[in-house]
Amino acid sequence: MQENIGDPVAAAVIVLLDSKILAFLRKKDGQIGLPCGMVEEGESTRETAIRECFEETGYEVAIPSEQAPFIAFDPKGKKVVACFVGHIVSEGKPTHSHEGEVIWADPAELLVSGYGDYNKRALEHFSIKKVHNTPVTFCDLTN
């Protein structure tokens, strides 16, 4: 059970392809992070995660409606973030590509970035791991 830390003000999404995770190399700080951004008025965190992924990466993703997000405080961004796991529906062109570069990162790369603390907890929450060079795996996405 997650501690009560307040409502999320931002949302992120984890998208897997083979053993890589869709990520964004941010120009402003040189850090690798998950596609993530601020919740806009009238928007759910699920909608935010989908929108931000498309804006930052050009990938349209779907997130199962029954999936509960991982919610935690991100010490790097200094805000409460809701994180989901999604899958690619279609590929387009990023609308915020001036903010950074789209990359497919090894899970370990996400752990050493400035966002590593939050990323580690999110990946652990969704039981996403790479073991002995085998593909990233999911255990239970409905937690």
Side-chain angles (χ1 to χ4, degrees):
M1 183 156 121
Q2 297 177 42
E3 62 184 83
N4 185 2
I5 54 174
D7 293 331
V9 297
V13 63
I14 298 168
V15 179
L16 300 168
L17 181 64
D18 299 321
S19 62
K20 301 290 185 179
I21 296 176
L22 181 61
F24 196 68
L25 178 58
R26 301 177 192 286
K27 285 184 183 176
K28 69 179 181 182
D29 59 11
Q31 299 296 315
I32 296 173
L34 298 170
C36 182
M38 301 300 288
V39 177
E40 295 180 356
E41 188 173 334
E43 189 176 53
S44 71
T45 53
R46 180 177 272 100
E47 291 166 334
T48 299
I50 292 168
R51 175 182 53 78
E52 286 291 337
C53 187
F54 183 75
E55 287 178 356
E56 292 184 351
T57 71
Y59 288 99
E60 182 181 349
V61 297
I63 297 170
S65 60
E66 68 278 0
Q67 184 189 121
F70 167 70
I71 299 173
F73 181 76
D74 172 22
K76 167 79 174 155
K78 297 181 176 45
K79 59 186 156 277
V80 177
V81 180
C83 186
F84 299 87
V85 174
H87 64 273
I88 296 172
V89 175
S90 67
E91 183 178 354
K93 181 179 178 189
T95 58
H96 288 150
S97 59
H98 63 279
E99 294 178 6
E101 177 185 348
V102 177
I103 62 171
W104 287 95
D106 185 275
E109 292 177 275
L110 290 169
L111 303 182
V112 296
S113 77
Y115 301 95
D117 178 68
Y118 181 86
N119 293 341
K120 179 179 186 291
R121 291 180 288 141
L123 293 172
E124 286 174 348
H125 174 83
F126 290 111
S127 300
I128 299 170
K129 57 188 172 182
K130 185 173 180 182
V131 181
H132 304 296
N133 296 320
T134 59
V136 174
T137 58
F138 287 111
C139 289
D140 182 3
L141 297 182
T142 58
N143 283 342

